[in-house]
Amino acid sequence: MKRACVIGWPVGHSRSPLIHGHWLRTYAIEGSYEKIAVEPRDLASFLGNLQARGFAGCNVTLPHKEAAFRCATVTDPLTRRLQAVNTLFVKAGALHGLNTDGAGFLMHLKASDAAWAAKDGPAVVLGAGGAARAIVATLVDAAVPEIRLTNRTRDRAAALAREFDGPVVVYDWETRAAALAGARLLVNTTSLGMAGAPRLVMPLDTLPGDATVYDIVYAPLETDLLAAARARGNVAVDGLGMLLHQAVPGFELWFGVRPEVTQTLRDIVVADLRAGA
Ligand code: ATR
């Protein structure tokens, strides 16, 4: 029987067991996916003994993503640029670390808006935290011609822009509305608009009608930003799909089947989010 798990501290909030549990049942795989609370001081020894504990790999959530990157012995260039992992797997005795946040972001964007093509125009990214780093790196790799980055703390955006040669330009947070002119994609990676967080103030008047608006917040599913985008005819993409799609590579690596993100899975997670709200 193959086993995987999600580790965090705390780990109670993680929806990963729901997602992987659904796929294990759907594909009738004899396997398990557990939730394990691992204290930061125990992380290195837990990961060092992952295989000995019987696990094919694991997901990593807060606060372990950076420390887990340092524990991984094999990583790819994108993951090294992000210096953070959310997925680990053991292969030929080596601990491989991956960051699938960006891939999840892009898979969900393509699944939600078949018309979107990276080369079509600039992307505006709000925020400069860990999620923004993964998304900016993914957009750069996808060859988006210009990425306009804006963040409350300008220095953080400037530091992130410096990590990428060229296409990332920084806008002041106060002038973020001006960044929308001619944009093909707007992405909110900040926590603004999340249940319990302050509102996101983002006037969309200058956003082209064919632009796609993507909010990585998924609680609530329909944020004010997405409602405003939909009301003026823009394609609106919610954050839940990113959460579901980022789980795909791990499941395939551990259990050998590439799982599908279906409406049924979405409904299961939405029901759980509603129950927890
Ligand atoms: P994550 O790693 O999940 O992206 P993070 O590093 O805490 O989380 O980043 C949160 C993002 O939301 C940051 O861009 C943050 O802006 P700062 O860099 O200025 O902190 C942004 N954010 C959080 N609260 C905000 C607020 N009240 N107004 C504007 N931006 C906010």
Side-chain angles (χ1 to χ4, degrees), residues 180-199:
L180 300 182
R184 179 62 182 84
L185 177 68
L186 166 64
V187 189
N188 174 45
T189 77
T190 73
S191 46
L192 296 173
M194 198 183 280
R199 291 184 57 225

Side-chain angles (χ1 to χ4, degrees), residues 126-132 151-154 156 173 189-192 198 216:
L126 311 178
N151 190 49
R152 173 180 61 178
T153 310
R154 189 189 159 98
R156 259 186 120 187
W173 184 244
T189 77
T190 73
S191 46
L192 296 173
I216 73 161

Side-chain angles (χ1 to χ4, degrees), residues 89-218:
F89 62 101
V90 181
K91 195 173 155 189
L95 186 63
H96 292 243
L98 261 185
N99 190 308
T100 67
D101 286 336
F105 166 83
L106 195 61
M107 281 195 274
H108 179 47
L109 174 58
K110 288 178 172 169
S112 308
D113 183 1
W116 183 82
K119 61 169 177 31
D120 285 350
V124 178
V125 176
L126 311 178
R133 169 178 263 101
I135 288 167
V136 168
T138 301
L139 294 175
V140 169
D141 285 352
V144 170
E146 184 186 333
I147 296 155
R148 302 168 181 169
L149 189 59
T150 178
N151 190 49
R152 173 180 61 178
T153 310
R154 189 189 159 98
D155 286 355
R156 259 186 120 187
L160 186 52
R162 274 196 299 276
E163 289 179 28
F164 301 91
D165 296 333
V168 187
V169 290
V170 176
Y171 281 66
D172 280 332
W173 184 244
E174 289 67 32
T175 62
R176 61 192 178 282
L180 300 182
R184 179 62 182 84
L185 177 68
L186 166 64
V187 189
N188 174 45
T189 77
T190 73
S191 46
L192 296 173
M194 198 183 280
R199 291 184 57 225
L200 169 64
V201 179
M202 185 71 233
L204 298 179
D205 314 327
T206 49
L207 187 70
D210 67 349
T212 302
V213 179
Y214 195 147
D215 198 335
I216 73 161
V217 169
Y218 58 83

